[in-house]
C-alpha cells in the first residue's frame, strides 16, 4: 500500500501527477469532515504538501501520528510551526534558490514601475487622455541612486547583483555583516536615511514583525521609494499608508500585504503606489522548479529518509 499524502496548499497538475505516482493522495479541500477523516486515515498519512502560509494546522499534526515530512511549496515558512514539527520528528522542507531570479526580477519590476509611474501612464493612454490633455508629468530615474536592501540573503544578493544595471550604490542591512563589497548598516533607520530606495526581502514572522516601522519609513522620506517583496508583516502597513497619504513617504511598490488577499482600500486611492497580488515567484518556469523540488524532497524521503532542502530548524532530524 502506498503511504498517504495530505495536500494542504495548492499544487500544479504536474505536482499532482508525481504525488499520485508515489502516494495515496488526499486533498484537504475535498474533505468535508476533517475529524472523521483523521480518525479513519490519520495514521496512514506520512507526508503533507503545504506552503509557508497555510502551514500544518495543529489538528492535522495531532491527527496524523505517523507524519514524518511536511514539504512546503515556497521558500518562506513563517506560517509553519517548525518547533512543533521538530518536536514530533517531522522534517520540514522548502524551496530555496530556485525562485531567486524571478523574485529579484519582481523587485526590479516594482522599482521601475514606481519610478516611472508605469500604472498611471498606462491608464492615461488607455483613457484617451494623451491626445486631449498632452504629456504626463516627468518621473524619476533610478540611475545612480542609493538602494538599500533589507535582508541580504539568497534573494537579496540576487537583487543586489541585478541592481548593477542601474549603476546604483547598493547598501544593506541584515542581522549579520556579509563578506561582500556593499556597505553594511547595522542600523536600519540610519540606512533608510541614506537611501533613495529601500527593498525589503527578509523572512516574515515574529522576529521581523514591523521591522520597517514609522521611524524607518520617515527616514526614507518624501523622496524615497519602499519596495516590499518579503512579507506584509515586515512593514508597518498602517504607518506606511499614512506616510504615503501625507507625503512623508514618496512611493511604494508592494507584492505582499499584512492580511492577504485583503488589501487595505486606502491603497487603491493612492497614485504613488504600485500593487501586485503576491506574484513574485509566479512564473511558469519558477513555479515548475518549485513544484519539482517539493516532489523531489518527498521522493527522496520515501527512498532513504533524507531530504534535499530542509529548513534549518529541522535539519538535525
Ligand atoms: P534567506 O536567504 O534566509 O535571507 C533572509 C535574509 O533576511 C538574511 O539576510 C537575514 O539576515 C535577513 N534577516 C532575517 N531576520 C532579520 C532581522 N530580524 N533583521 C534584519 N534582517 C534579517 O531567505 P531568502 O531565500 O532570501 O528569502 C527571503 C524571504 O523572501 C522569504 O523568507 C519570504 O518571506 C520572502 N519571499 C517572498 C516571495 C514573494 O512571492 N513575494 C517569494 C520568495 C520569498 P542574516 O543573514 O544576517 O541572518
Ligand atoms: C509563493 C513565497 O507565494 O516562496 C515564498 O516564500 O511567498 C512565494 O514564492 C508561495 O509561497 C507559493 O506557495
Amino acid at each position: 500500500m502506498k503511504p498517504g499524502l495530505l495536500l494542504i496548499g495548492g499544487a500544479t497538475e504536474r505536482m499532482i501527477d508525481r504525488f499520485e505516482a508515489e502516494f495515496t493522495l488526499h486533498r484537504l479541500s475535498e474533505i468535508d469532515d476533517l475529524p472523521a477523516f483523521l480518525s479513519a486515515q490519520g495514521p496512514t498519512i506520512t507526508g503533507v504538501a503545504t506552503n509557508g502560509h497555510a502551514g500544518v494546522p495543529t489538528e492535522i499534526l495531532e491527527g496524523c501520528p505517523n507524519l514524518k515530512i511536511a514539504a512546503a511549496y515556497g521558500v518562506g515558512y513563517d506560517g509553519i510551526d517548525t518547533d512543533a514539527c521538530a518536536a514530533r520528528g517531522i522534517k520540514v522542507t522548502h524551496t530555496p534558490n530556485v525562485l531567486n531570479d524571478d523574485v529579484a526580477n519582481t523587485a526590479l519590476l516594482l522599482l521601475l514601475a514606481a519610478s516611472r509611474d508605469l500604472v498611471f501612464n498606462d491608464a492615461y493612454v488607455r483613457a484617451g487622455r494623451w491626445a486631449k490633455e498632452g504629456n504626463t508629468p516627468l518621473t524619476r530615474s533610478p540611475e545612480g541612486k542609493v538602494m538599500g536592501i533589507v535582508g541580504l540573503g539568497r534573494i537579496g544578493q540576487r537583487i543586489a547583483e541585478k541592481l548593477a544595471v542601474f549603476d546604483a550604490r547598493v547598501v544593506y542591512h541584515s542581522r549579520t555583516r556579509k563578506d561582500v563589497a556593499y556597505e553594511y548598516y547595522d542600523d536600519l533607520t540610519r540606512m533608510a536615511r541614506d537611501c533613495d530606495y529601500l527593498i525589503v526581502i527578509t523572512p516574515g514572522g515574529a522576529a521581523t514583525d514591523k521591522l520597517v516601522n514609522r521611524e524607518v519609513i520617515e527616514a526614507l522620506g518624501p523622496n524615497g521609494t519602499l519596495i516590499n517583496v518579503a512579507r506584509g508583516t515586515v512593514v508597518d502597513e498602517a504607518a506606511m499608508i499614512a506616510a504615503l497619504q501625507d507625503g512623508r513617504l514618496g512611493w511604494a511598490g508592494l507584492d505582499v500585504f499584512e492580511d492577504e488577499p485583503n488589501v487595505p482600500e486606502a491603497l487603491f486611492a493612492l497614485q504613488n503606489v504600485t500593487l501586485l497580488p503576491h506574484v513574485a515567484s509566479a512564473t511558469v518556469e519558477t513555479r515548475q522548479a518549485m513544484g519539482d523540488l517539493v516532489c523531489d524532497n518527498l521522493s527522496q524521503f520515501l527512498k532513504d529518509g533524507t531530504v534535499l532542502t530542509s529548513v534549518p530548524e529541522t535539519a538535525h532530524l
Side-chain angles (χ1 to χ4, degrees), residues 19-194:
F19 293 159
E20 287 182 333
E22 295 184 293
F23 293 91
T24 298
L25 183 64
H26 306 274
R27 300 170 199 238
L28 184 61
S29 60
E30 292 174 359
I31 297 171
D32 293 328
D33 184 346
L34 185 59
F37 169 82
L38 291 173
S39 69
Q41 299 289 343
T44 71
I45 302 295
T46 299
V48 298
T50 185
N51 60 51
H53 318 289
V56 190
T58 308
E59 189 180 5
I60 290 174
L61 277 181
E62 287 174 353
C64 300
N66 298 312
L67 183 61
K68 292 283 178 284
I69 176 167
Y73 181 52
V75 67
Y77 53 93
D78 41 298
I80 304 180
D81 185 344
T82 51
D83 290 343
C85 289
R88 291 170 186 271
I90 300 165
K91 291 180 196 287
V92 178
T93 67
H94 64 153
T95 61
N97 294 318
V98 294
L99 41 56
N100 292 354
D101 275 307
D102 273 323
V103 178
N105 291 342
T106 303
L108 268 62
L109 169 74
L110 284 170
L111 188 154
L112 277 174
S115 302
R116 304 304 307 270
D117 295 340
L118 175 73
V119 175
F120 169 75
N121 275 294
D122 178 90
Y124 192 83
V125 176
R126 285 171 198 268
R129 293 176 63 187
W130 189 13
K132 289 187 207 133
E133 299 175 44
N135 292 335
T136 50
L138 298 182
T139 59
R140 299 151 304 281
S141 175
E143 289 295 319
K145 297 288 164 62
V146 183
M147 304 195 179
I149 299 179
V150 187
L152 198 75
R154 290 172 292 246
I155 301 170
Q157 293 191 30
R158 209 59 198 108
I159 294 172
E161 288 158 15
K162 287 175 185 262
L163 289 177
V165 297
F166 301 124
D167 284 332
R169 185 160 82 78
V170 175
V171 300
Y172 72 101
H173 167 77
S174 55
R175 289 175 299 192
T176 54
R177 185 191 292 268
K178 314 287 170 201
D179 185 16
V180 291
Y182 316 118
E183 185 179 347
Y184 174 66
Y185 284 75
D186 59 6
D187 185 293
L188 178 53
T189 306
R190 201 164 56 78
M191 182 171 91
R193 204 168 289 130
D194 289 351

Side-chain angles (χ1 to χ4, degrees), residues 6 22 24 58 60 88 90 93 96 102 107 178 216 240 259 262 274-275 285 288 303 305:
L6 181 60
E22 295 184 293
T24 298
T58 308
I60 290 174
R88 291 170 186 271
I90 300 165
T93 67
D102 273 323
K178 314 287 170 201
V216 174
M240 176 190 68
D259 179 30
N262 304 304
T274 306
L275 309 173
E285 295 85 350
Q288 180 168 312
K303 203 167 66 180

